[in-house]
Coordinates of all heavy atoms in Angstrom, one line a residue:
M773 N -4.9 -2.0 -13.4 CA -4.3 -2.7 -14.6 C -3.7 -1.7 -15.5 O -4.1 -0.6 -15.7 CB -5.5 -3.5 -15.3 CG -5.0 -4.6 -16.1 SD -4.3 -4.2 -17.7 CE -5.8 -3.7 -18.6
M774 N -2.5 -2.1 -16.0 CA -1.8 -1.3 -17.0 C -1.6 -2.2 -18.3 O -1.3 -3.4 -18.2 CB -0.5 -0.9 -16.5 CG 0.3 0.1 -17.3 SD -0.4 1.7 -17.3 CE 0.3 2.3 -15.8
R775 N -1.9 -1.6 -19.4 CA -1.7 -2.4 -20.7 C -0.2 -2.6 -20.9 O 0.6 -1.7 -20.6 CB -2.2 -1.7 -21.9 CG -3.7 -1.9 -22.0 CD -4.2 -1.3 -23.3 NE -5.6 -1.4 -23.4 CZ -6.3 -0.9 -24.4 NH1 -5.7 -0.2 -25.4 NH2 -7.6 -1.0 -24.5
C776 N 0.1 -3.7 -21.5 CA 1.5 -4.0 -21.8 C 2.0 -3.0 -22.8 O 1.4 -2.7 -23.8 CB 1.6 -5.4 -22.5 SG 3.2 -5.8 -23.2
P777 N 3.2 -2.4 -22.5 CA 3.8 -1.4 -23.4 C 4.3 -1.9 -24.7 O 4.6 -1.2 -25.7 CB 4.9 -0.8 -22.6 CG 5.3 -1.9 -21.6 CD 4.1 -2.6 -21.3
I778 N 4.5 -3.3 -24.8 CA 5.0 -3.9 -26.0 C 3.9 -4.3 -26.9 O 3.9 -3.9 -28.1 CB 5.8 -5.2 -25.6 CG1 6.9 -4.9 -24.5 CG2 6.5 -5.7 -26.9 CD1 7.9 -3.8 -24.8
C779 N 2.9 -5.0 -26.4 CA 1.9 -5.6 -27.3 C 0.5 -5.0 -27.1 O -0.4 -5.3 -27.8 CB 1.8 -7.1 -27.2 SG 1.1 -7.7 -25.6
R780 N 0.4 -4.1 -26.0 CA -0.9 -3.5 -25.7 C -2.0 -4.4 -25.2 O -3.1 -3.9 -25.0 CB -1.4 -2.6 -26.9 CG -0.4 -1.8 -27.6 CD 0.4 -0.9 -26.8 NE -0.5 0.1 -26.1 CZ -0.1 0.9 -25.1 NH1 1.2 0.9 -24.7 NH2 -0.9 1.7 -24.5
K781 N -1.7 -5.6 -24.9 CA -2.6 -6.5 -24.2 C -2.7 -6.2 -22.8 O -1.8 -5.5 -22.2 CB -2.3 -8.0 -24.5 CG -2.2 -8.4 -26.0 CD -3.5 -8.4 -26.7 CE -3.3 -9.0 -28.0 NZ -4.5 -8.8 -28.9
S782 N -3.7 -6.9 -22.1 CA -3.8 -6.6 -20.6 C -2.7 -7.4 -19.9 O -2.1 -8.3 -20.4 CB -5.1 -7.1 -20.1 OG -5.3 -8.4 -20.4
S783 N -2.4 -6.9 -18.7 CA -1.3 -7.5 -17.9 C -1.8 -7.7 -16.4 O -2.8 -7.1 -16.0 CB -0.1 -6.6 -17.9 OG -0.5 -5.3 -17.4
H784 N -1.1 -8.6 -15.7 CA -1.4 -8.9 -14.3 C -0.5 -8.2 -13.4 O 0.7 -8.1 -13.7 CB -1.2 -10.4 -14.1 CG -2.4 -11.2 -14.2 ND1 -3.6 -10.9 -13.7 CD2 -2.6 -12.5 -14.7 CE1 -4.5 -11.8 -13.9 NE2 -3.9 -12.8 -14.5
T785 N -1.0 -7.7 -12.3 CA -0.1 -7.2 -11.2 C 0.6 -8.4 -10.5 O -0.1 -9.3 -10.1 CB -0.8 -6.4 -10.2 OG1 -1.7 -5.4 -10.8 CG2 0.1 -5.7 -9.2
R786 N 1.9 -8.4 -10.5 CA 2.6 -9.5 -9.8 C 2.8 -9.1 -8.3 O 2.5 -9.9 -7.4 CB 4.0 -9.8 -10.4 CG 4.0 -10.1 -11.9 CD 3.1 -11.2 -12.2 NE 3.4 -12.5 -11.6 CZ 2.8 -13.6 -11.7 NH1 1.6 -13.6 -12.3 NH2 3.2 -14.6 -11.1
T787 N 3.2 -7.9 -8.1 CA 3.4 -7.5 -6.7 C 3.4 -6.0 -6.7 O 3.6 -5.3 -7.8 CB 4.7 -8.0 -6.1 OG1 4.8 -7.6 -4.8 CG2 5.9 -7.5 -6.9
S788 N 3.0 -5.4 -5.6 CA 3.1 -3.9 -5.5 C 3.4 -3.5 -4.1 O 3.2 -4.2 -3.2 CB 1.8 -3.3 -6.0 OG 0.7 -3.6 -5.0
R789 N 4.0 -2.3 -4.0 CA 4.3 -1.8 -2.7 C 4.2 -0.3 -2.7 O 4.4 0.4 -3.8 CB 5.7 -2.2 -2.2 CG 6.8 -1.6 -3.1 CD 8.2 -2.3 -2.7 NE 9.2 -1.7 -3.6 CZ 10.3 -1.1 -3.1 NH1 10.5 -0.9 -1.9 NH2 11.2 -0.6 -4.0
Y790 N 4.0 0.3 -1.5 CA 3.9 1.8 -1.4 C 5.3 2.3 -1.2 O 6.0 1.9 -0.2 CB 3.0 2.2 -0.3 CG 1.5 2.2 -0.8 CD1 0.8 1.0 -0.7 CD2 1.0 3.3 -1.4 CE1 -0.5 0.9 -1.2 CE2 -0.3 3.2 -1.9 CZ -1.1 2.1 -1.8 OH -2.4 2.0 -2.3
L791 N 5.8 3.2 -2.0 CA 7.1 3.9 -1.8 C 6.9 5.0 -0.8 O 7.7 5.2 0.0 CB 7.6 4.4 -3.1 CG 7.9 3.3 -4.2 CD1 8.4 4.0 -5.5 CD2 8.9 2.3 -3.7
T792 N 5.8 5.8 -1.0 CA 5.4 6.8 -0.1 C 3.9 6.7 0.1 O 3.3 5.9 -0.6 CB 5.7 8.2 -0.6 OG1 4.9 8.6 -1.6 CG2 7.2 8.3 -1.1
S793 N 3.3 7.5 0.9 CA 1.8 7.4 1.1 C 1.1 7.8 -0.1 O -0.1 7.4 -0.3 CB 1.4 8.2 2.3 OG 1.7 9.5 2.1
N794 N 1.8 8.5 -1.1 CA 1.1 8.9 -2.3 C 1.6 8.2 -3.5 O 1.2 8.5 -4.6 CB 1.4 10.4 -2.5 CG 0.6 11.3 -1.5 OD1 -0.4 10.8 -0.9 ND2 0.9 12.5 -1.4
T795 N 2.6 7.3 -3.4 CA 3.2 6.7 -4.6 C 3.3 5.2 -4.4 O 3.8 4.7 -3.4 CB 4.6 7.2 -4.8 OG1 4.5 8.7 -4.9 CG2 5.2 6.7 -6.2
K796 N 2.8 4.5 -5.4 CA 2.8 3.0 -5.4 C 3.6 2.5 -6.6 O 3.5 3.0 -7.7 CB 1.4 2.5 -5.4 CG 1.3 1.0 -5.3 CD -0.1 0.5 -5.2 CE -0.9 0.6 -6.5 NZ -2.2 -0.1 -6.4
E797 N 4.5 1.5 -6.3 CA 5.2 0.9 -7.3 C 4.6 -0.5 -7.6 O 4.3 -1.2 -6.6 CB 6.7 0.7 -6.8 CG 7.6 0.0 -7.8 CD 9.0 -0.2 -7.2 OE1 9.0 -1.0 -6.2 OE2 9.9 0.4 -7.6
A798 N 4.4 -0.9 -8.8 CA 3.7 -2.1 -9.1 C 4.5 -2.8 -10.2 O 5.0 -2.2 -11.2 CB 2.3 -2.0 -9.5
Y799 N 4.6 -4.2 -10.1 CA 5.3 -5.0 -11.1 C 4.2 -5.8 -11.8 O 3.3 -6.4 -11.2 CB 6.3 -6.0 -10.4 CG 7.5 -5.3 -9.9 CD1 7.5 -4.6 -8.7 CD2 8.7 -5.3 -10.7 CE1 8.6 -4.0 -8.2 CE2 9.8 -4.7 -10.2 CZ 9.8 -4.0 -9.0 OH 10.9 -3.4 -8.5
Y800 N 4.3 -5.7 -13.1 CA 3.3 -6.4 -14.0 C 3.9 -7.4 -14.9 O 5.1 -7.3 -15.3 CB 2.7 -5.3 -14.9 CG 1.7 -4.4 -14.2 CD1 2.2 -3.2 -13.7 CD2 0.3 -4.7 -14.2 CE1 1.3 -2.3 -13.1 CE2 -0.5 -3.8 -13.6 CZ -0.1 -2.6 -13.0 OH -0.9 -1.7 -12.4
Q801 N 3.1 -8.4 -15.3 CA 3.5 -9.3 -16.3 C 2.4 -9.4 -17.3 O 1.2 -9.5 -17.0 CB 3.7 -10.7 -15.7 CG 4.2 -11.7 -16.8 CD 4.7 -13.0 -16.2 OE1 4.3 -13.5 -15.2 NE2 5.8 -13.5 -16.9
C802 N 2.8 -9.3 -18.6 CA 1.8 -9.3 -19.7 C 1.1 -10.7 -19.8 O 1.8 -11.7 -19.5 CB 2.6 -9.1 -21.0 SG 1.5 -9.1 -22.5
Q803 N -0.2 -10.7 -20.0 CA -0.9 -11.9 -20.1 C -0.8 -12.6 -21.4 O -1.3 -13.7 -21.6 CB -2.4 -11.7 -19.8 CG -2.6 -11.4 -18.3 CD -4.1 -11.3 -18.0 OE1 -4.7 -10.3 -18.0 NE2 -4.7 -12.5 -17.7
N804 N -0.3 -11.9 -22.4 CA -0.2 -12.5 -23.8 C 1.0 -13.5 -23.7 O 2.2 -13.1 -23.6 CB 0.1 -11.3 -24.8 CG 0.3 -11.8 -26.2 OD1 0.3 -13.0 -26.4 ND2 0.6 -10.9 -27.0
I805 N 0.7 -14.8 -23.9 CA 1.8 -15.8 -23.8 C 2.9 -15.6 -24.8 O 4.1 -15.8 -24.5 CB 1.1 -17.2 -24.0 CG1 0.3 -17.5 -22.7 CG2 2.2 -18.3 -24.2 CD1 -0.5 -18.8 -22.8
K806 N 2.6 -15.1 -26.0 CA 3.6 -14.8 -27.0 C 4.5 -13.7 -26.6 O 5.6 -13.5 -27.1 CB 3.0 -14.6 -28.3 CG 2.3 -15.8 -28.9 CD 1.6 -15.4 -30.2 CE 0.9 -16.6 -30.8 NZ 0.0 -16.2 -31.9
C807 N 4.1 -12.8 -25.7 CA 4.8 -11.6 -25.3 C 5.5 -11.9 -23.9 O 6.7 -11.9 -23.8 CB 3.9 -10.4 -25.3 SG 4.7 -8.9 -24.6
S808 N 4.6 -12.0 -22.9 CA 5.1 -12.3 -21.5 C 6.1 -11.3 -21.0 O 6.9 -11.6 -20.1 CB 5.7 -13.7 -21.4 OG 4.7 -14.7 -21.6
S809 N 6.0 -10.1 -21.5 CA 7.0 -9.1 -21.0 C 6.6 -8.7 -19.5 O 5.5 -8.9 -19.1 CB 6.9 -7.8 -21.8 OG 5.7 -7.1 -21.7
T810 N 7.6 -8.3 -18.8 CA 7.4 -7.8 -17.4 C 7.9 -6.3 -17.4 O 8.8 -5.9 -18.1 CB 8.2 -8.6 -16.4 OG1 9.5 -8.6 -16.7 CG2 7.6 -10.0 -16.3
F811 N 7.2 -5.5 -16.6 CA 7.5 -4.1 -16.5 C 7.0 -3.6 -15.1 O 6.3 -4.3 -14.5 CB 6.9 -3.3 -17.6 CG 5.4 -3.5 -17.8 CD1 4.5 -2.6 -17.2 CD2 4.9 -4.6 -18.5 CE1 3.2 -2.7 -17.4 CE2 3.6 -4.7 -18.7 CZ 2.7 -3.8 -18.1
K812 N 7.5 -2.5 -14.7 CA 7.0 -1.9 -13.5 C 6.5 -0.5 -13.7 O 6.9 0.2 -14.7 CB 8.1 -1.9 -12.4 CG 9.2 -0.9 -12.5 CD 10.0 -0.9 -11.2 CE 11.0 0.2 -11.2 NZ 11.8 0.2 -10.0
T813 N 5.6 -0.1 -12.9 CA 5.0 1.2 -13.0 C 5.1 2.0 -11.7 O 5.4 1.4 -10.6 CB 3.5 1.1 -13.3 OG1 2.8 0.5 -12.2 CG2 3.3 0.3 -14.6
L814 N 5.0 3.3 -11.7 CA 4.9 4.1 -10.6 C 3.5 4.8 -10.7 O 3.3 5.5 -11.6 CB 6.0 5.1 -10.5 CG 7.4 4.6 -10.1 CD1 8.4 5.7 -10.2 CD2 7.4 4.0 -8.7
E815 N 2.7 4.6 -9.7 CA 1.4 5.2 -9.7 C 1.4 6.2 -8.5 O 1.7 5.9 -7.4 CB 0.3 4.2 -9.5 CG -1.1 4.7 -9.5 CD -2.1 3.6 -9.4 OE1 -1.8 2.4 -9.8 OE2 -3.2 3.9 -9.0
S816 N 0.9 7.4 -8.8 CA 0.9 8.4 -7.7 C -0.3 9.3 -7.8 O -1.0 9.4 -8.8 CB 2.2 9.3 -7.8 OG 2.2 10.0 -9.0
I817 N -0.7 9.8 -6.6 CA -1.8 10.7 -6.5 C -1.4 12.0 -7.3 O -0.4 12.7 -6.9 CB -2.1 11.1 -5.1 CG1 -2.4 9.8 -4.2 CG2 -3.3 12.0 -4.9 CD1 -3.6 9.0 -4.7
A818 N -2.2 12.4 -8.3 CA -1.9 13.6 -9.0 C -2.5 14.8 -8.3 O -1.8 15.9 -8.3 CB -2.6 13.5 -10.4
K819 N -3.7 14.7 -7.7 CA -4.3 15.8 -7.0 C -5.4 15.3 -6.1 O -6.2 14.4 -6.6 CB -4.8 16.8 -8.0 CG -5.4 18.1 -7.4 CD -5.9 19.0 -8.5 CE -6.6 20.3 -8.0 NZ -5.6 21.2 -7.5
V820 N -5.5 15.8 -4.9 CA -6.6 15.5 -4.1 C -7.7 16.5 -4.4 O -7.5 17.7 -4.3 CB -6.3 15.6 -2.6 CG1 -7.5 15.4 -1.7 CG2 -5.2 14.5 -2.3
L821 N -8.9 16.1 -4.9 CA -9.9 17.0 -5.4 C -10.8 17.4 -4.2 O -11.4 18.5 -4.3 CB -10.7 16.3 -6.5 CG -9.9 15.9 -7.7 CD1 -10.7 15.1 -8.7 CD2 -9.3 17.1 -8.3
S822 N -11.1 16.6 -3.3 CA -11.8 17.0 -2.1 C -11.4 16.2 -0.9 O -10.9 15.1 -1.1 CB -13.3 16.9 -2.4 OG -13.7 15.5 -2.4
R823 N -11.6 16.7 0.3 CA -11.3 15.9 1.4 C -12.3 16.2 2.5 O -13.0 17.2 2.4 CB -9.9 16.2 1.9 CG -9.7 17.7 2.3 CD -8.3 17.9 3.0 NE -7.3 17.8 2.0 CZ -6.1 17.1 2.3 NH1 -6.0 16.5 3.5 NH2 -5.2 17.0 1.4
P824 N -12.5 15.2 3.5 CA -13.5 15.4 4.5 C -13.3 16.6 5.3 O -12.2 17.0 5.6 CB -13.5 14.1 5.3 CG -12.2 13.5 4.9 CD -11.8 14.0 3.6
E825 N -14.4 17.3 5.7 CA -14.3 18.6 6.5 C -13.5 18.4 7.7 O -12.7 19.3 8.1 CB -15.7 19.0 6.9 CG -16.6 19.6 5.8 CD -16.1 20.9 5.3 OE1 -15.5 21.6 6.1 OE2 -16.2 21.1 4.1
I826 N -13.6 17.2 8.4 CA -12.9 17.0 9.7 C -11.4 17.1 9.6 O -10.8 17.4 10.5 CB -13.4 15.7 10.3 CG1 -13.1 15.6 11.8 CG2 -12.8 14.5 9.6 CD1 -13.9 14.5 12.5
I827 N -10.9 16.8 8.4 CA -9.4 16.8 8.3 C -8.8 18.1 7.8 O -7.7 18.4 7.8 CB -9.0 15.6 7.4 CG1 -9.4 14.3 8.0 CG2 -7.5 15.6 7.1 CD1 -9.1 13.0 7.2
K828 N -9.7 19.0 7.3 CA -9.3 20.3 6.8 C -8.6 21.1 8.0 O -9.1 21.1 9.1 CB -10.4 21.2 6.3 CG -10.7 20.8 4.8 CD -11.9 21.6 4.3 CE -12.2 21.1 2.9 NZ -13.5 21.7 2.4
G829 N -7.4 21.6 7.6 CA -6.7 22.4 8.6 C -7.4 23.6 9.1 O -6.8 24.4 9.8
Ligands
ZN823 ZN1 2.7 -7.9 -24.0

């Protein structure tokens, strides 16, 4: 969930898709009826902090 950038209320994910295995694009709609703004976000993995032993190179 991402807060609305206009009114700071909560918003709903309308749809989302992966652009790459590490990056997701999501479309949101504000839940505040008086605002109802729509916006999109890009969410990406900032850093992998640990990974299973079996996959370590
Ligand atoms: Zn809003």
Side-chain angles (χ1 to χ4, degrees):
M773 201 282 287
M774 187 72 81
R775 279 190 185 171
C776 172
I778 311 300
C779 71
R780 314 307 298 171
K781 304 288 190 195
S782 61
S783 57
H784 263 321
T785 309
R786 304 305 299 175
T787 183
S788 66
R789 67 188 177 121
Y790 280 87
L791 299 178
T792 72
S793 57
N794 287 345
T795 308
K796 187 172 73 172
E797 180 186 65
Y799 287 81
Y800 286 89
Q801 182 165 36
C802 180
Q803 288 188 268
N804 177 2
I805 288 174
K806 292 177 183 167
C807 174
S808 294
S809 69
T810 55
F811 54 96
K812 77 173 188 178
T813 64
L814 288 175
E815 183 177 335
S816 61
I817 304 296
K819 185 180 175 76
V820 175
L821 299 175
S822 69
R823 60 174 67 225
E825 287 293 329
I826 197 164
I827 297 178
K828 277 181 183 166

